[in-house]
Every structure is written in structure tokens, then in C-alpha cells.
Amino acid sequence: MSIVGRDIPHDSAAGHVTGESLYVDDISPARNELFVDFYPSPVSHGRILSVDLAAAAAVPGVVGLYTASDLHNNRFGPIIGDELLLAEETVVFMGQPIVVIAAETKAAAKLARRLVSVDIEELPPILTIDEAIAREEFIGDLLVIKRGDVEAGLAAAAHVLEGTFVSGGQDHFYLESQAAIAFPDELGAIRIHSSTQNPSEVQHVIAHLLGLKLNQVVCETKRMGGAFGGKECQATHPAAMASLVAQKTGRPARIVFNKDDDMQVTGKRHPFQNRYKVGFSEQGEITALEVQMFSDGGAYADLSTAVMGRAMTHVDNAYYIPHARIAGRVCRTHTPPNTAFRGFGGPQGVATIESIIEDIGVVLNIDPLEVRLRNCYGNGERNSTPYGQVVHHNNLPVLFDELTRRSDYRTRREEIAKFNDSSLTHLKGISLTAVKFGISFNTRFLNQANALVNIYLDGTIQVSTGATEMGQGVNTKIRQLVAGAFGLEAEEVLVMITSTEKNNNTSATAASSGADLNGSAAIDACNRLRERLSGVAAEMLADGDNSDSEKIVFEDGFVFDESNDARRLKFQEVVWEAYLRRVSLGEHGFYATPGIDWDWSTGTGNPFRYFTQGCAASEVLIDRFTGEVKVVRADVLMDIGKPINPGIDRGQMTGAFIQGVGWVTTESLVYSERGELLSHSPTTYKIPNIHDVPEVFNVDYLDIENPVNIAGSKATGEPPLLLAISVWTAIKHAISFTSGGVPVQLMLPATNEEIVMKLAKYAG
Ligand code: LUZ
Ligand code: MOS
């Protein structure tokens, strides 16, 4: 049986548990190494009048203090290039770095940070989406996707519902904070080890800011202790600070953000405010949808316009909408630039339509599941998205049907109505929602990857790709794919450290596409190696006769002719013979996702290679007096193709769902009126723990081959997070028992406080 599709353990599972796995801050200190810290802006918006570094410079052990003028370039950014590494005349968010500090010890750096004196004239900050809209402070262009005639669709509808969906941000809360260590190399070069999803971008940004050529900067990434999108772009800042110090001092320099700094100065998931008008029939069939989406981009563009694009292409979710106008605008505020976060705008789009559907159910007094089924994308008809991509191989109808049955949804919904009638202390709610997540970067050129596969003389293999391991198991999947290509056990293959030295111009490990892209590139290399080895093996097996390399198979560590498997060569023997014959045992592979295109000038295209789909049914129990929520049961069912490693995908489904539960319930970012993040540690920012895992939690997948992706698999990193929206809609369902037939306007996250306030409001 092939190693592909088998449940082997994560290649670092043991190391994660024993502590042997190395993270950036575990790398033994180099002789001469410096600690790097920075002075953060104490205000959200202001004009810098003067910077006085004398007192900080006098601290024993302080080696250097650097400001914007010490950089070759200060301006960068992944899409728009509007970002400054170090503030110049103005500061635009609280925590914005102004001075980089290099010191012999952490204590000296800390003291210097206290003694830096920056005189700032405080200016009024824009801290909310509403203020930004009022002042017309936007980032990028107005984005529009439209189909059909929305006005006519609304006019013809039996019902029109208007409302606003509001969601808050979310901190990535990776266990390993942002971290990097920079080593000066000969001839001005820099070698950097960074906790980044995007080594090539770290390379690019450092070269640009320090005035180096790209070939003078090498970025390596062994692994991250979680990332979740937070290290797709924002790992560059600490890496650049450490590199600046390495360049200026000629000494190794390490920076590791502490948790409070990390939470206060890095961007989050984008808050959204989506204003909508939806038209629907008496039976709940959606005829038209108009949505104006606003996101809080923070002070700089970062990836905000791409995040908005994904939000806009996901607001349809599982549902066919004949007439649609979807507009998106990124607002500029004086908060840290918001960034990629697992789902990348998708959750904010999907939550909007799922909320709308919940409300349609309330207005029509029917089960929202009936509304979902009535509007679900079809097969062969009613299956084109508002942006024109057809949903092929649509498994949503099967998923809805199967999960409704497996979760016993209908019976439980009836029981919940009875329970709510009789309980004076508690309310229950249940909801079954779906996800259809588009797989591919919505920026076309990012959908490429390369790989290096080297076979050694003992028959073992090293593979290197641009994929970065953040705990998600991409290395294990690539290991299985490569081992499978040669009929070997996983142990014969090692996935090596990610480095820009081996794989050039790589994309971030992001958009759930790490294994798809890099696994495909690795297999491309393996295919050519196998062809060459087949030629050698055919000659070895032919004993002077004509050889047929087409018939050579690699299985269980052996190489043989499928028409005559009596004679089997050990893989290692063939490798050795190839070496003696001077046949190359190394190969470079490449993959570019075919068939994708996108055009913002029309808001149309086929941005996604395929869709990962799923459904979840969640039941909540709410304490009427405290607003406390418990998810008592959740059932998750997904189409994830043929998993390369079912256990790892199950882990992704489980973890993403729970991370989503945090987003929709407890993870509330609280700011002061000056824009200071007050909830910047685990004591004030509540992520889910083991007690928040549903008592009954069924996670499963349909075993359906995906014809358009590597080994028939589908991406699983982000899509399951969006299924936690069923917990939030279940809360809406519970509260709707008290709202007297009126749709429940609920903030996301639905914190205990939010729930209590809504219950109080409806109680009068
Ligand atoms: N990053 C990106 C992403 O640059 N483009 C995307 O479409 C995307 N999607 C999800 C996560 N990261
Ligand atoms: Mo991402 S949100 O870095 O896939």
C-alpha cells in the first residue's frame, strides 16, 4: 500500500512534545550576538517633533540606536508599498516602531527602550470604520463584483431585508511570537533565520531596505510555532530590524517579540462592517443581494485589498444568487496594519450570508436550513458564482443531506424549541451552515512553486521546497508524496529546511495551498528522476534484451518490470548503478496552477482551481442570566478529497473549527479611547481551551477524489475555520426565541456580554 493516504505521524510530533524541535529562539547564541528591541510609538497618531537618543545611548551595553535615516530604503509593502519600517515625520499607529535598539543584553535593551525620548504632538486618531468612512480615508480602489440587475431583483422580491453585519478582529495567538536572527556574511551579505511563512518576502524586504541585491540575502525557515497568516507578511518587520543591526554592527543579531509587544504592534484579522439589502421570495429563495463591505485595514495596506477580494468572492458561499452587487472598500485607520489570518476575508464574507439566511428564516418563520437548501448551488444548473466561475464537482447538496442525517438536526431542532419553552434559566440554539472555500491565491502569479529533490547513494532522499512548516504538517505530506513516487517508506525521505538558497522566488505558505503547490512541484521533479531511474533499471533487468522503461514500477523499496516481477532490484541498487553510469540523481521541479484567471476591471474570472466544501451543525446552550455559552455538540463533515494524510487533515479540521469558535465567541479585542489595545495577553484575551471543545465533537470527511489536484486531495488549512460560523448562527437561533419574530442583530464575536445585552434588549 502506498505511503500516500496513510496516517503516519507528523514528522515533528515527537519533537514538539519533547521540546527537541528547534525554533528561532532555540538556536544557540552565537559569540558576539546582540539583542534587538525597538521603541514603539506611545500614541495612535501624532507628529514627531524630536527624537533624543542620548540617555538611551549612555546605557552600558547599548551598541546601537537606529532610526529611519539609517535605512537604505524605509518604504515597502506586499501590494501597494505604502509602509514604513520606522516612523519618520508622523506615527500612524500605537506601537509603530520608531527606533531600533541593539544591546549586549536583554536588560540593557529594555532599559534603553525606557530612556528613548521622543517628543510627539498628538493628533486625533481615526479608530473605527465609521470614522474612516466619514472622513473618506480609504486604502486602494473601490472593488466591485456584479451580476444581473440588483434593482430589478430587489423590486421583484416578496421581501426585502436590510441590515449590517459587524465583525471584530482576531489575534493570531501563535505560541511562538515573531522572531528572527540575522548573521552578517562576507561581502556585505546577510543570512537570516526567520519565523516566517514567506522566506522569499523576507529576503526581498531585507534586500530592499538594506540596499542589497537579492542574491546577497538568504532567508531560512526551519519551522514556526504557529503562524495562521500572521507571519505571511509581518514576519518581515522583526527580520528587517535584526538585519539592520547585523549590517550596521557586523554582529549576529536576534529579535524575539514578547507576547505583549507582539499582540500590540502586529495586525490582526480585519474587522468588517457589511451593509446589505437582500430580496427573497415567500419560500426563502434569494433573488438579489446588494452588499457594501467595509474592512478596517489599519494604517497601511499590507494584504488588505487581497483580503477584501476574498471576502467579496466568498459572500455567496454555498448559495446561488442570481442578481448581485458586491462592493468592497478598505478603510484606513490608525491601528496596526491588519493582515492575513486563516480564512483571509472568507470568514467575514461567509458569516454575512449565513447571518442573512438565519434572518430570512426568522422573517418567514421557517427553518433556516430550508432556506439554505433552497438556495444551495446545484450541479449543471444554478452553479455559477456572481463573479462568473462555475462550481464544478459541487458536493454541497450531498454534504447538506448527509450531515443533516448524521447530526440528527431536525429532531434536535424540535427538541430545542420545547426546551426553550420550558427552561427559565437557559436557552438552546442549533444551526447548520456550509462552507465553499476557493483554493488558489486570488493573486494569480502567486500560484507557482518549485522543488529540489536529491537522491543520495544509499537510496535516501532529501526534498526542499518553498513550503514552510508551521505545525500544519506540510512537510509530512510532501514527504509522503515523494516517498510514494519511489515506492519507499516515509523514513527514506527527509524534508529539509526551507531556504531561499535552494528554492527561489517562492510564494508564502498560505491560502491553504502549501501542499498543493509545493507537493505538485516535488512530484514534477520526482517524475523526471523516476524516468531516468526507470531507464537504468530497464537495462539492468533486460539482460542485454531490449528494455522497456515504460513498464518499470517502484514499489515497497524495489524496482521491477510489472510484466515480470520475479526479478526485483533494490531501489538503492538502481541508484548506485545510475551513479556509476553518470546519470543525474538530482532534479528541480516546478508547478503553476493551470486554468485560473481574474480581472478586477470586470470583477469576473476563475480565480480558484477548485473549492473545498463542508457543512457543520452546532448546538449551543446559553445561560440566560450570564450569557455564558457552551457548544454542547458540533458535527463537522467535509469534502477534502482523498487526504494525503487523513490524521493531519483531521487535525486541521478540528483545530481550525475550534480557532473559529474563538473568533465567533470569546476573542474580543478591547481598545482604549486612545487606541491602545487593552486585551494584549492571555489574561485578558480569551482563546478557546480544552473546556471550550464541544462535549460531542464529530469530525469526518467524505472520501471523494478531487480530479484536479495532487493525489486527488484538497486543501484543508483554512476552510474548516469557517464552519465555526454555525456556532454563531446557533447563538442567533437561541436568542431569536426571545426576539418576537424579529431578526437578531448580533455582533461577532458573540461574547457573554454581547449575548446578555441582546437578551436584555429583547426582554424590554
Ligand atoms: N494570501 C494571499 C492568502 O496573498 N492571497 C490569498 O488569496 C490568500 N488566501 C488565503 C490566505 N492567504
Ligand atoms: Mo494565510 S491567512 O497566511 O493562508
Side-chain angles (χ1 to χ4, degrees):
M1 179 189 172
S2 170
I3 190 73
V4 177
R6 236 195 284 163
D7 245 347
I8 65 165
H10 189 290
D11 67 350
S12 298
H16 288 163
V17 176
T18 60
E20 280 167 295
S21 296
L22 293 177
Y23 297 87
V24 168
D25 207 24
D26 297 322
I27 297 171
S28 298
R31 192 153 51 84
N32 253 354
E33 184 177 305
L34 293 171
F35 291 93
V36 180
D37 200 350
F38 63 95
Y39 175 83
S41 170
V43 303
S44 294
H45 187 204
R47 192 171 293 119
I48 298 178
L49 303 176
S50 65
V51 178
D52 183 352
L53 302 176
V59 172
V62 168
V63 172
L65 296 154
Y66 308 102
T67 58
S69 60
D70 290 300
L71 289 158
H72 185 87
N73 285 301
N74 190 20
R75 194 172 292 274
F76 67 109
I79 299 175
I80 295 181
D82 62 345
E83 188 161 351
L84 300 181
L85 181 71
L86 299 172
E88 292 176 3
E89 280 116 44
T90 58
V91 286
V92 291
F93 62 90
M94 195 176 287
Q96 183 176 17
I98 302 174
V99 181
V100 172
I101 301 162
E104 302 281 358
T105 63
K106 263 186 194 165
K110 205 168 158 188
L111 182 56
R113 176 162 157 167
R114 283 222 303 274
L115 295 177
V116 165
S117 170
V118 181
D119 193 11
I120 299 177
E121 177 196 345
E122 210 166 334
L123 300 170
I126 297 171
L127 296 171
T128 64
I129 289 176
D130 284 326
E131 288 172 84
I133 294 170
R135 304 241 222 122
E136 298 187 31
E137 283 288 342
F138 299 118
I139 293 170
D141 299 326
L142 172 71
L143 303 174
V144 181
I145 292 171
K146 64 174 195 284
R147 167 168 69 188
D149 186 342
V150 172
E151 301 308 325
L154 288 172
H159 299 266
V160 173
L161 195 60
E162 281 186 58
T164 304
F165 166 84
V166 179
S167 65
Q170 183 180 22
D171 188 83
H172 301 85
F173 222 95
Y174 27 65
L175 289 181
E176 181 205 25
S177 295
Q178 303 280 1
I181 174 164
F183 300 93
D185 213 333
E186 290 178 21
L187 302 172
I190 297 278
R191 184 171 288 269
I192 181 138
H193 200 116
S194 165
S195 178
T196 177
Q197 291 170 249
N198 201 344
S200 285
E201 182 165 300
V202 167
Q203 176 197 25
H204 293 166
V205 170
I206 288 169
H208 175 67
L209 298 186
L210 302 189
L212 300 173
K213 297 206 164 88
L214 286 177
N215 65 4
Q216 293 177 286
V217 181
V218 173
C219 178
E220 295 186 324
T221 301
K222 177 73 181 167
R223 64 162 62 74
M224 287 158 277
F228 308 114
K231 297 171 183 173
E232 185 172 335
C233 285
Q234 301 202 356
T236 51
H237 306 65
M241 292 185 210
S243 300
L244 172 65
V245 171
Q247 186 188 46
K248 291 285 178 191
T249 62
R251 296 169 63 172
R254 186 181 321 228
I255 186 164
V256 180
F257 282 7
N258 68 41
K259 195 71 188 170
D260 302 281
D261 276 353
D262 195 299
M263 291 188 74
Q264 286 182 306
V265 312
T266 66
K268 319 258 169 264
R269 185 187 293 291
H270 290 72
F272 267 71
Q273 192 189 97
N274 300 334
R275 304 168 182 181
Y276 58 83
K277 235 188 224 184
V278 60
F280 49 96
S281 72
E282 209 58 63
Q283 290 74 41
E285 186 169 324
I286 296 173
T287 54
L289 175 67
E290 185 176 353
V291 193
Q292 174 84 49
M293 302 181 132
F294 294 99
S295 70
D296 179 348
Y300 295 127
D302 194 281
L303 291 167
S304 293
T305 47
V307 169
M308 179 56 84
R310 189 169 278 276
M312 292 168 67
T313 49
H314 282 70
V315 72
D316 59 313
N317 195 28
Y319 314 107
Y320 174 71
I321 301 165
H323 302 283
R325 183 177 187 277
I326 304 154
R329 206 84 231 253
V330 178
C331 297
R332 193 187 291 278
T333 63
H334 295 104
T335 59
N338 288 319
T339 191
F341 193 143
R342 203 174 195 173
F344 204 77
Q348 296 94 321
V350 167
T352 303
I353 191 73
E354 293 293 356
S355 175
I356 288 171
I357 289 181
E358 209 64 29
D359 292 350
I360 291 175
V362 171
V363 168
L364 297 177
N365 196 23
I366 56 174
D367 184 344
L369 178 58
E370 305 311 329
V371 182
R372 292 188 168 93
L373 295 175
R374 186 166 290 277
N375 291 288
C376 184
Y377 278 116
N379 275 300
E381 39 129 37
R382 294 170 55 85
N383 65 348
S384 77
T385 62
Y387 48 93
Q389 175 158 5
V390 172
V391 186
H392 292 292
H393 309 286
N394 178 24
N395 291 315
L396 285 164
V398 180
L399 287 159
F400 267 117
D401 190 54
E402 186 67 21
L403 189 68
T404 304
R405 199 176 53 69
R406 289 198 198 181
S407 66
D408 203 15
Y409 170 89
R410 293 186 200 279
T411 313
R412 285 163 64 207
R413 196 176 141 93
E414 280 169 28
E415 284 166 4
I416 282 169
K418 282 187 218 141
F419 174 90
N420 288 345
D421 267 347
S422 63
S423 173
L424 295 174
T425 57
H426 288 79
L427 278 170
K428 284 186 180 177
I430 190 169
S431 183
L432 194 157
T433 65
V435 66
K436 170 184 118 286
F437 197 86
I439 303 300
S440 292
F441 286 94
N442 54 17
T443 303
R444 185 172 179 268
F445 68 81
L446 294 176
N447 296 288
Q448 58 174 310
N450 66 78
L452 176 67
V453 179
N454 284 335
I455 304 178
Y456 295 88
L457 295 182
D458 62 354
T460 63
I461 298 174
Q462 290 186 342
V463 52
S464 306
T465 74
T468 55
E469 177 66 44
M470 57 195 94
Q472 86 280 40
V474 69
N475 284 0
T476 307
K477 288 185 179 179
I478 291 173
R479 183 185 212 190
Q480 285 176 268
L481 288 169
V482 172
F486 297 104
L488 300 173
E489 287 300 314
E491 289 68 28
E492 305 305 309
V493 177
L494 285 182
V495 179
M496 307 309 289
I497 190 168
T498 312
S499 168
T500 57
E501 201 168 35
K502 290 175 292 182
N503 301 103
N504 57 341
N505 317 328
T506 55
S507 297
T509 305
S512 305
S513 65
D516 288 17
L517 297 175
N518 295 284
S520 298
I523 286 300
D524 179 53
C526 292
N527 287 343
R528 274 192 298 281
L529 283 165
R530 222 177 34 192
E531 232 172 79
R532 291 205 289 270
L533 288 174
S534 295
V536 172
E539 287 182 22
M540 290 168 78
L541 291 166
D543 284 330
D545 292 351
N546 280 343
S547 49
D548 187 358
S549 64
E550 299 284 300
K551 290 200 176 135
I552 297 295
V553 292
F554 293 71
E555 219 173 272
D556 300 328
F558 291 97
V559 187
F560 52 92
D561 188 323
E562 65 182 353
S563 57
N564 173 20
D565 66 356
R567 206 163 148 228
R568 295 173 169 235
L569 302 166
K570 277 194 183 144
F571 180 70
Q572 186 190 342
E573 280 176 71
V574 181
V575 167
W576 180 248
E577 183 60 27
Y579 172 72
L580 293 180
R581 294 181 185 210
R582 300 184 299 170
V583 171
S584 167
L585 291 166
E587 192 55 79
H588 180 261
F590 184 75
Y591 179 74
T593 311
I596 48 176
D597 62 86
W598 180 252
D599 181 359
W600 263 126
S601 72
T602 56
T604 60
N606 296 286
F608 307 118
R609 180 66 173 149
Y610 62 88
F611 296 95
T612 295
Q613 302 178 321
C615 282
S618 296
E619 180 178 337
V620 297
L621 175 69
I622 294 174
D623 182 316
R624 291 185 189 243
F625 304 112
T626 64
E628 186 189 357
V629 191
K630 274 222 150 301
V631 185
V632 292
R633 176 169 171 183
D635 293 77
V636 172
L637 183 66
M638 298 191 70
D639 164 26
I640 54 166
K642 288 254 175 219
I644 293 167
N645 185 314
I648 280 175
D649 283 349
R650 204 174 278 276
Q652 287 294 301
M653 288 191 270
T654 307
F657 184 86
I658 297 299
Q659 190 168 38
V661 171
W663 176 54
V664 303
T665 58
T666 60
E667 294 188 40
S668 179
L669 293 161
V670 181
Y671 296 87
S672 75
E673 280 176 9
R674 298 174 57 241
E676 181 182 7
L677 178 63
L678 302 173
S679 50
H680 57 77
S681 81
T683 54
T684 46
Y685 184 77
K686 173 73 180 79
I687 62 167
N689 67 15
I690 191 67
H691 299 290
D692 300 305
V693 174
E695 285 157 38
V696 181
F697 192 16
N698 299 312
V699 175
D700 210 350
Y701 62 91
L702 304 174
D703 212 6
I704 303 174
E705 182 156 330
N706 173 19
V708 300
N709 191 42
I710 184 78
S713 69
K714 282 194 174 184
T716 50
E718 296 170 289
L721 185 140
L722 291 78
L723 289 174
I725 290 164
S726 59
V727 169
W728 186 77
T729 45
I731 295 169
K732 278 184 71 135
H733 177 233
I735 299 175
S736 75
F737 283 90
T738 72
S739 73
V742 176
V744 176
Q745 290 290 312
L746 188 69
M747 247 300 285
L748 188 158
T751 58
N752 298 355
E753 293 86 340
E754 169 71 7
I755 291 168
V756 165
M757 285 192 295
K758 288 293 140 76
L759 288 173
K761 176 180 149 188
Y762 295 122

